[in-house]
Amino acid sequence: METMKEFAESFMPYLRDFLSRVSEVGQGLSSLLQDENNRNKRYVVGFDLLQRINANMDAVLYGFDKLFVNQKMLYKIPIDLSLRTALGDTITALYLLSLDDDILEEEISVINSDFVKFLLTVLPIRYKIGEKLFPQDSRGTEQDYFDSYYSIYKDYLDNGKGEAWKVKSFKTLRSKDSPFNESCTTKSMYQYLENNEDSELKELASLYMHYRVFSQTEHYSFLGRSAKNIEIMDIYKEAIVTLVCAVQKLVVYLPLVDKQVCNNLSALNIMDYLPNIEKKE
């Protein structure tokens, strides 16, 4: 059975190189976005998601360092949750960036509407907490509190200011020619990849399986409390290699990024980091 030390010797350098190359792509996008003519949703979304992926994979790398030193599998928790988030963001990036510009805009609106639904749940609780903890800071009525946010989110609401919020349905945010007819979830994004005519996108749909595996870390169960219940080293390997391949693919949808930077990322190959693989076999 592979030890954490053996895993480190092969995958830590691979992951470090990957993060370095993703940072180069991010820097290129950041420079492009300084020009107002390039500030379209595609490049902003690509930049945002690459930043998130990079940050979470950096946390994974730090977590592995801790795990190698201590060997306590309890350190798996932050690793798994960070990797889960990176996988989710990668699925989202593949989904959004592979769409035509007009459909991309609509799907961003659908995702935004879910955020407004989240606020519909959270703001009443925030109002009650504020009333209890900071009674000296008058917020008026609960409706006044909602109204203070109205101008920010009105494009996603079917009501006027001073009225109870009613979030627009996803159907009204899409055109009649949209290929999608349900809410935008990680599962629906996976199904889009799984059914895609692009064979590379179809193959990368396996990201969802790894995402679901690491999602289990978020929920305690007696059966799931031990790493012995799953081939954890193989899962880490599969998830990281597939994620790297997915990021290599999604950069293709950002054609304004410097070609050499893209080529550097695309050239990353796990086999280059396993020089003794034939000997081990």
Side-chain angles (χ1 to χ4, degrees), residues 130-139:
E131 287 286 286
K132 183 177 181 179
L133 297 182
F134 309 107
Q136 70 278 10
D137 300 332
S138 176
R139 302 185 181 193

Side-chain angles (χ1 to χ4, degrees), residues 116 119 146-161 165-168 173:
V116 181
L119 290 177
F146 269 91
D147 287 347
S148 67
Y149 289 95
Y150 181 80
S151 62
I152 303 173
Y153 303 111
K154 63 181 180 180
D155 291 343
Y156 299 94
L157 298 172
D158 269 334
N159 58 272
K161 190 172 183 179
W165 279 18
K166 183 180 178 182
V167 182
K168 290 181 179 178
L173 296 170

Side-chain angles (χ1 to χ4, degrees), residues 134-273:
F134 309 107
Q136 70 278 10
D137 300 332
S138 176
R139 302 185 181 193
T141 66
E142 183 177 300
Q143 184 61 56
D144 292 333
Y145 186 51
F146 269 91
D147 287 347
S148 67
Y149 289 95
Y150 181 80
S151 62
I152 303 173
Y153 303 111
K154 63 181 180 180
D155 291 343
Y156 299 94
L157 298 172
D158 269 334
N159 58 272
K161 190 172 183 179
E163 301 172 342
W165 279 18
K166 183 180 178 182
V167 182
K168 290 181 179 178
S169 71
F170 59 83
K171 291 182 180 179
T172 64
L173 296 170
R174 291 183 173 124
S175 64
K176 63 179 181 179
D177 298 324
S178 173
F180 306 112
N181 58 11
E182 58 182 290
S183 60
C184 193
T185 64
T186 305
K187 184 176 181 180
S188 70
M189 294 180 197
Y190 152 70
Q191 291 170 334
Y192 162 80
L193 297 177
E194 175 67 22
N195 298 321
N196 208 282
E197 294 181 359
D198 184 329
S199 60
E200 291 181 340
L201 286 178
K202 188 178 183 70
E203 188 172 345
L204 291 169
S206 63
L207 286 164
Y208 183 69
M209 183 276 291
H210 296 103
Y211 169 83
R212 289 302 304 274
V213 168
F214 294 121
S215 293
Q216 289 306 302
T217 305
E218 195 173 355
H219 312 286
Y220 175 79
S221 69
F222 195 78
L223 283 176
R225 64 194 292 272
S226 171
K228 295 177 182 178
N229 289 321
I230 198 163
E231 305 88 347
I232 193 62
M233 296 299 184
D234 288 341
I235 291 291
Y236 282 145
K237 287 180 184 178
E238 294 165 6
I240 292 170
V241 171
T242 308
L243 185 143
V244 171
C245 292
V247 174
Q248 290 170 331
K249 174 68 174 178
L250 70 85
V251 170
V252 172
Y253 300 115
L254 299 168
L256 288 182
V257 177
D258 181 79
K259 293 298 182 184
Q260 186 56 51
V261 171
C262 292
N263 291 340
N264 289 342
L265 180 58
S266 298
L268 190 65
N269 187 341
I270 184 58
M271 299 304 292
D272 296 335
Y273 297 79

Side-chain angles (χ1 to χ4, degrees), residues 64-72:
F64 278 139
D65 277 334
K66 296 282 288 183
L67 187 56
F68 299 144
V69 171
N70 196 293
Q71 292 292 311
K72 286 186 178 179

Side-chain angles (χ1 to χ4, degrees), residues 51-90:
Q51 274 196 311
R52 287 171 56 93
I53 293 165
N54 201 50
N56 277 295
M57 292 308 291
D58 194 46
V60 169
L61 192 61
Y62 176 77
F64 278 139
D65 277 334
K66 296 282 288 183
L67 187 56
F68 299 144
V69 171
N70 196 293
Q71 292 292 311
K72 286 186 178 179
M73 296 310 286
L74 189 62
Y75 283 109
K76 277 181 70 280
I77 295 173
I79 294 172
D80 290 1
L81 293 179
S82 296
L83 189 48
R84 168 191 180 271
T85 305
L87 290 165
D89 284 338
T90 305

